[in-house]
Amino acid sequence: MEKQEAVVFPMNGGSGLHSYARNSTFQRKGVVLATQLINKGIGEKLELSNFAGSKTFRVADLGCSVGPNTFLAVQNIVDSVEHKYKRQALGHLIPEFQVFFNDHVSNDFNQLFASLPPKRRYYAIGVPGSFYDRLFPSSSLHFVHSSFAAQWFSEVPKELVDKTSPAWNKGRIHYSNSSKEVVECYEAQFSKDMHRFLNARAQELMHGGFMALVLPACPDGTPHNQVFVNKTTELLGVCLVDMAKRGIISEEKVDTFNHPQYLPTFKQMEAIVERNGHFNIEIMESLPLEKPSPSVAAGAVRASLGPVVEKHFGDESFDELFDLLQATEDAKELIQKAIDEKLEIINFSSPNTFRVADLGVPEGVVDKSSPSWNKGRIHYSISADEVLKSYEAQYFKDMHRFLSARAQEIVHGGLIAFVVPASQMEPHILNHVYAHDGQLPKSERNCFWEVINIMIYEIEKDFQLHNFLPRPFENLHRIVRCCTGTTVKGTITEEKVDSFNIPVHNACAQQVEEVVKSNGRFSIKIMESLPHENPQPRAFASRLRAGLGGLIIQHYGDEIDLDKLFNLYCQKLEESSLSVPYLNLESNKLYLFYSNV
């Protein structure tokens, strides 16, 4: 029989930071919880007399990935079968065990077999291929196990990306918040795939054999968009749409990407098995899995869906997407806490960041007659005290405007929640951790504006700026070149450089408290730091360009070539020892303000 070619959706291999092996604790808990049900099924339903002539008991784990979850599952099956033999006084007839580990051909089987338990009581064999097709000889298996795998499709339905189809899933990557036509398309694909799966297993299992499936599911009567796994997928979609709006990825790429899995309801699963006719359901129970923390959830999504995302969108936006997902998960959890504990919330933040100090550049920093003239620099971080004070004053002015406007718009007792990048240190301390030569002490590496300026010194040592810039302006233009990731096509005037400043101030907690108290219209109910990981150089450079690219072009016009210098900036970050820990003194903070008026 000719096999249908299945689309491959592998997990992250290896044993690195983002590997499935290190980011599948959520799935592992499901495997552990399922052991009691599997033991119950083997103890009560498995008839050893059906296998009286078998000297080998064969177990297959389908969708095994790279471990260690698969080893827990198959060892429990081996233990449970051995226990049943002994309980029936058949210990002398205990067979040998042969375990088949199956996954796609692109699965990291090297990692899987390198991780095999050394004292296992079974013979291990790898079986590459799609479990939607036949994998084993007829009537050769005694027990089939699969956990967190059969919800994945063999292929993405073509209707989801067909602009002429009613099921075109434009602007979304999943079915849980989509139209009825999209949901039905997902349901049909799952039903089709599950029938293929059951038909293949029916031919491979011996009469009286057992199959245990652990699937993420949607409880009967629960909307799909209320299931935790679906919520996390939708959040990933929100992050992708946000990145498309900022020009990091194309809108077309988002419209042609759909998460290839479906979570069936109990009734749907029962109906599929009944229609298929090859199996009887002996046990079907819900496992009490607790919702994982945001970091665990984001790690699990990256480990399982990461290769599919990277293949579709490319590796340039890959790190930023999952950094954004975790930051959004963290903020979402705290906001949900506020909703539960306080009142209804009005959330003025975007899924990524709400900036409260981007309404304008302080006038003094571009005034040649002012003590705060920021000549030759684009930010306050390593500038004179007068520049820092000018930025702080602008921040206080803008925050007062923001709070005063919200106080008139929000009902009494309403809430405001926003997420902002924040300094962990007071600005005057942050501003003076440099030596007089501008070098940053290794023990005091700062937020990204400071590091960008330090990169200027690094580049000046080993790169000839006159290759890109008019010689008279080398020292002044190096800041623009590194800080904005721009390449200069032609001549840029000194005035252009001196009149450009980044209109962002990262306030410390003390400053936020001061401005809220001074304003008097709100009280702070929650002020928490959100955990984060330092982004990789490429992701950081991409993020910086997305945030500042438009501002740079607006100021410098066609004189700037963003592509060349952002690539150069990324290259220098990767080469420099400063490329890793540059956010140690900075984090995102969530603030929750309660209306007093």
Side-chain angles (χ1 to χ4, degrees):
M1 185 178 71
E2 185 179 349
K3 293 183 179 180
Q4 293 179 249
E5 185 177 351
V7 180
V8 177
F9 304 118
M11 306 294 105
N12 267 349
S15 57
L17 178 64
H18 303 301
S19 65
Y20 186 81
R22 294 178 59 177
N23 292 275
S24 56
T25 55
F26 177 72
Q27 293 91 329
R28 187 178 311 150
K29 289 178 180 178
V31 171
V32 171
L33 288 171
T35 57
Q36 292 184 346
L37 293 179
I38 292 173
N39 294 342
K40 179 181 178 182
I42 292 174
E44 297 178 359
K45 303 293 182 179
L46 188 68
E47 294 294 339
L48 299 182
S49 59
N50 289 328
F51 319 128
S54 298
K55 294 184 178 180
T56 303
F57 192 96
R58 298 181 182 87
V59 179
D61 187 38
L62 308 182
C64 62
S65 190
V66 297
N69 300 347
T70 184
F71 305 135
L72 294 174
V74 300
Q75 188 59 56
N76 175 70
I77 294 169
V78 169
D79 291 343
S80 186
V81 172
E82 283 186 341
H83 179 69
K84 179 146 190 174
Y85 270 91
K86 292 176 181 178
R87 195 178 62 189
Q88 295 186 1
L90 299 173
H92 60 291
L93 296 179
I94 293 177
E96 292 183 304
F97 291 89
Q98 191 174 36
V99 175
F100 299 93
F101 294 97
N102 157 260
D103 214 310
H104 288 295
V105 293
S106 58
N107 185 58
D108 191 350
F109 283 99
N110 287 334
Q111 172 65 27
L112 175 73
F113 288 117
S115 307
L116 276 169
K119 297 182 179 180
R120 62 190 179 278
R121 301 194 307 280
Y122 53 83
Y123 297 96
I125 299 175
V127 181
S130 169
F131 52 50
Y132 289 117
D133 296 311
R134 285 284 301 276
L135 295 166
F136 306 97
S138 298
S139 302
S140 61
L141 300 177
H142 299 79
F143 201 108
V144 170
H145 174 271
S146 182
S147 64
F148 291 92
Q151 77 274 11
W152 286 85
F153 289 168
S154 64
E155 62 180 352
V156 176
K158 294 180 175 60
E159 296 86 344
L160 298 176
V161 295
D162 181 357
K163 295 181 180 180
T164 65
S165 170
W168 181 31
N169 203 20
K170 178 176 173 56
R172 298 191 180 278
I173 68 166
H174 205 223
Y175 64 89
S176 57
N177 267 318
S178 294
S179 67
K180 176 184 176 183
E181 291 79 7
V182 171
V183 176
E184 290 174 348
C185 189
Y186 266 86
E187 289 176 352
Q189 184 65 44
F190 177 81
S191 179
K192 174 184 174 182
D193 285 341
M194 187 53 63
H195 274 289
R196 287 178 60 189
F197 180 91
L198 295 175
N199 288 338
R201 302 297 81 78
Q203 297 178 65
E204 297 165 349
L205 272 165
M206 297 177 63
H207 176 72
F210 260 52
M211 182 163 61
L213 298 182
V214 180
L215 290 170
C218 178
D220 292 332
T222 300
H224 285 287
N225 60 10
Q226 294 302 310
V227 179
F228 170 74
V229 175
N230 287 343
K231 286 183 178 181
T232 302
T233 302
E234 282 299 318
L235 207 56
L236 182 69
V238 169
C239 294
L240 286 167
V241 170
D242 178 71
M243 292 173 67
K245 289 179 179 178
R246 291 187 282 136
I248 300 173
I249 56 178
S250 71
E251 182 180 342
E252 183 182 3
K253 282 283 189 180
V254 177
D255 291 341
T256 54
F257 179 76
N258 285 272
H259 187 19
Q261 65 172 237
Y262 177 78
L263 276 57
T265 65
F266 284 25
K267 289 182 179 179
Q268 286 174 331
M269 198 64 200
E270 287 176 340
I272 290 172
V273 173
E274 184 177 350
R275 284 199 307 271
N276 181 265
H278 293 303
F279 294 88
N280 295 319
I281 297 176
E282 298 291 344
I283 299 174
M284 179 182 285
E285 291 190 21
S286 177
L287 303 177
L289 266 175
E290 294 182 0
K291 185 175 74 172
S293 67
S295 60
V296 171
V301 172
R302 179 168 187 160
S304 60
L305 194 57
V308 183
V309 172
E310 186 172 13
K311 181 179 179 181
H312 187 84
F313 292 97
D315 59 358
E316 293 186 0
S317 56
F318 187 69
D319 288 323
E320 175 163 3
L321 170 63
F322 288 100
D323 289 340
L324 178 57
L325 175 64
Q326 180 165 344
T328 309
E329 283 272 19
D330 291 331
K332 178 184 172 184
E333 185 172 81
L334 288 176
I335 292 173
Q336 185 63 52
K337 176 183 176 183
I339 293 174
D340 295 339
E341 295 181 359
K342 307 296 179 181
L343 291 171
E344 295 183 353
I345 188 168
I346 297 180
N347 186 354
F348 290 95
S349 68
S350 74
N352 182 16
T353 300
F354 184 91
R355 298 177 187 166
V356 298
D358 63 355
L359 299 182
V361 175
E363 294 180 1
V365 298
V366 294
D367 182 356
K368 295 180 181 180
S369 63
S370 169
S372 60
W373 182 31
N374 202 21
K375 178 178 174 58
R377 299 194 181 280
I378 67 169
H379 200 237
Y380 63 85
S381 50
I382 56 172
S383 297
D385 284 347
E386 289 78 9
V387 175
L388 173 62
K389 291 176 182 177
S390 183
Y391 265 85
E392 289 176 345
Q394 184 68 39
Y395 169 78
F396 273 77
K397 174 183 175 182
D398 287 343
M399 270 297 286
H400 272 291
R401 288 178 60 190
F402 174 84
L403 294 175
S404 296
R406 301 297 81 74
Q408 297 179 62
E409 298 164 350
I410 198 168
V411 299
H412 175 70
L415 302 176
I416 300 177
F418 61 92
V419 181
V420 291
S423 170
Q424 302 285 61
M425 300 175 63
E426 294 181 28
H428 71 275
I429 298 176
L430 194 64
N431 203 38
H432 292 291
V433 298
Y434 291 89
H436 290 297
D437 62 358
Q439 296 299 312
L440 184 63
K442 292 183 179 179
S443 61
E444 300 284 1
R445 289 172 178 166
N446 282 342
C447 61
F448 58 85
W449 304 118
E450 282 74 10
V451 172
I452 295 168
N453 280 283
I454 287 303
M455 287 301 302
I456 297 163
Y457 296 94
E458 294 292 321
I459 291 176
E460 185 181 30
K461 293 176 183 176
D462 59 7
F463 191 81
Q464 297 298 315
L465 293 174
H466 66 262
N467 291 337
F468 292 88
L469 302 168
R471 211 161 178 62
F473 303 127
E474 284 178 11
N475 291 339
L476 295 174
H477 287 70
R478 64 187 180 184
I479 294 175
V480 177
R481 197 163 112 345
C482 297
C483 292
T484 65
T486 56
T487 300
V488 181
K489 294 179 180 177
T491 302
I492 299 177
T493 64
E494 181 178 346
E495 182 181 0
K496 279 281 190 179
V497 178
D498 292 341
S499 60
F500 178 74
N501 284 267
I502 303 296
V504 173
H505 176 69
N506 297 344
C508 65
Q510 180 182 341
Q511 289 178 318
V512 175
E513 289 175 337
E514 288 178 1
V515 72
V516 172
K517 183 178 180 180
S518 173
N519 182 267
R521 293 173 172 85
F522 294 88
S523 56
I524 300 177
K525 292 298 183 182
I526 294 177
M527 181 186 295
E528 293 193 26
S529 294
L530 305 178
H532 71 287
E533 295 180 3
N534 293 336
Q536 295 300 311
R538 183 176 295 277
F540 176 72
S542 175
R543 184 178 305 174
L544 193 65
R545 175 172 181 165
L548 294 180
L551 187 66
I552 300 302
I553 291 296
Q554 182 181 16
H555 186 81
Y556 290 95
D558 293 337
E559 299 171 0
I560 295 294
D561 186 335
L562 294 181
D563 291 334
K564 289 183 180 179
L565 243 72
F566 261 118
N567 289 337
L568 176 62
Y569 175 61
C570 181
Q571 174 188 333
K572 290 300 174 181
L573 278 180
E574 291 171 341
E575 293 174 356
S576 172
S577 60
L578 295 176
S579 63
V580 178
Y582 49 72
L583 293 180
N584 284 352
L585 299 183
E586 186 177 85
S587 69
N588 286 332
K589 278 191 179 294
L590 179 135
Y591 298 95
L592 181 71
F593 296 163
Y594 178 87
S595 174
N596 295 329
V597 296

